[in-house]
Amino acid sequence: MIIGLTGGIGSGKSVVGGMLRELGAHVIDTDKVGHRVYEPDSEGWRKIVEAFGTDVVAEDRTIDRKKLGALVFADETHRKTLNGIVHPMIFQEILGEIAAQRDAGFQGHIVLEAPILVEAKGTGMVDCIWVVVAPRPVIEARLVSDRAMTPAEIAARMNVQLDDATRREHADLVIENSADLATLRAKVEAAWQSL
Ligand code: ATP
């Protein structure tokens, strides 16, 4: 099975992904895959520079993700342009990684940890979708204490993300992560057993 693991900022995707890895899944971190398409002089890098100019290139020739982020955060047209460039490339990288795992003989479950699986229209790549959710105040408390984020930063991120109600519509399984880690682990193990 290829499981798409998604959820909003701070919902607990990475923690759940880590638990699934311990249970034997191969977990693909799509954020990491995404970083590869920004590597200097790659096809992605060239297309981004073509579209956004050399202003978004840092001194060491990497893409200045903060600058690019600020640009696309403020303007939906820019956001669409960037997504149009990077999403197909990220899909290709993911398919390549899945094929490489299978070629290497891995027959277990593969988990695609993908924060924007639904937004990026990647749901067709997976066999089932697991959505991690937690109440907003719980997420805020975790991010303030664990990542030193401010409530304003958290709100800004949440406001551009899909809402949980929409994510739930796509879910084959909803993992409620409102309690402690032991409770979460029990839920993840039950989900794993059900596969
Ligand atoms: P992002 O999309 O921002 O990367 P995420 O969905 O991957 O977030 P995590 O990084 O897994 O979220 O979790 C957010 C924070 O909350 C982390 O610091 C994590 O340790 C903590 N956390 C997650 N679940 C629990 C829990 N059940 N109990 C306590 N802390 C938790």
Side-chain angles (χ1 to χ4, degrees):
M1 292 278 269
I2 300 182
I3 301 147
L5 178 63
T6 192
I9 176 177
S11 55
K13 295 176 294 295
S14 303
V15 174
V16 171
M19 290 174 177
L20 290 169
R21 187 177 285 117
E22 284 170 22
L23 289 166
H26 175 77
V27 182
I28 300 175
D29 179 343
T30 56
D31 279 343
K32 271 201 194 131
V33 173
H35 289 174
R36 296 212 285 268
V37 310
Y38 290 86
E39 275 169 13
D41 299 315
S42 65
E43 191 191 348
W45 184 93
R46 275 192 294 102
K47 286 189 173 167
I48 289 167
V49 176
E50 250 171 57
F52 297 98
T54 46
D55 270 5
V56 298
V57 181
E59 272 181 17
D60 62 0
R61 292 183 56 74
T62 58
I63 298 286
D64 186 332
R65 310 254 312 203
K66 269 214 168 128
K67 261 196 190 159
L68 185 60
L71 263 178
V72 301
F73 193 68
D75 182 326
E76 202 191 330
T77 313
H78 285 329
R79 202 152 61 229
K80 283 192 174 152
T81 303
L82 180 66
N83 288 344
I85 295 171
V86 299
H87 286 169
M89 290 185 185
I90 295 173
F91 285 8
Q92 279 314 112
E93 292 270 336
I94 291 167
L95 291 175
E97 186 161 340
I98 292 171
Q101 282 300 317
R102 296 305 187 210
D103 285 350
F106 180 73
Q107 292 180 352
H109 302 304
I110 293 178
V111 173
L112 210 60
E113 193 188 317
I116 56 163
L117 183 74
V118 175
E119 295 92 318
K121 302 191 169 41
T123 52
M125 298 178 81
V126 299
D127 298 313
C128 64
I129 299 175
W130 292 2
V131 174
V132 188
V133 300
R136 189 169 175 148
V138 172
I139 291 178
E140 281 174 354
R142 288 176 186 158
L143 294 180
V144 167
S145 82
D146 296 1
R147 282 192 208 159
M149 287 180 78
T150 66
E153 283 169 340
I154 298 166
R157 289 280 298 276
M158 283 183 171
N159 290 343
V160 294
Q161 286 189 340
L162 209 63
D163 55 286
D164 272 345
T166 312
R167 278 195 203 94
R168 280 173 188 267
E169 286 171 15
H170 293 266
D172 296 289
L173 175 76
V174 176
I175 300 174
E176 306 270 354
N177 180 22
S178 44
D180 60 10
L181 289 169
T183 307
L184 180 63
R185 185 177 297 277
K187 289 183 181 178
V188 171
E189 281 176 3
W192 180 256
Q193 295 305 328
S194 77
L195 282 171

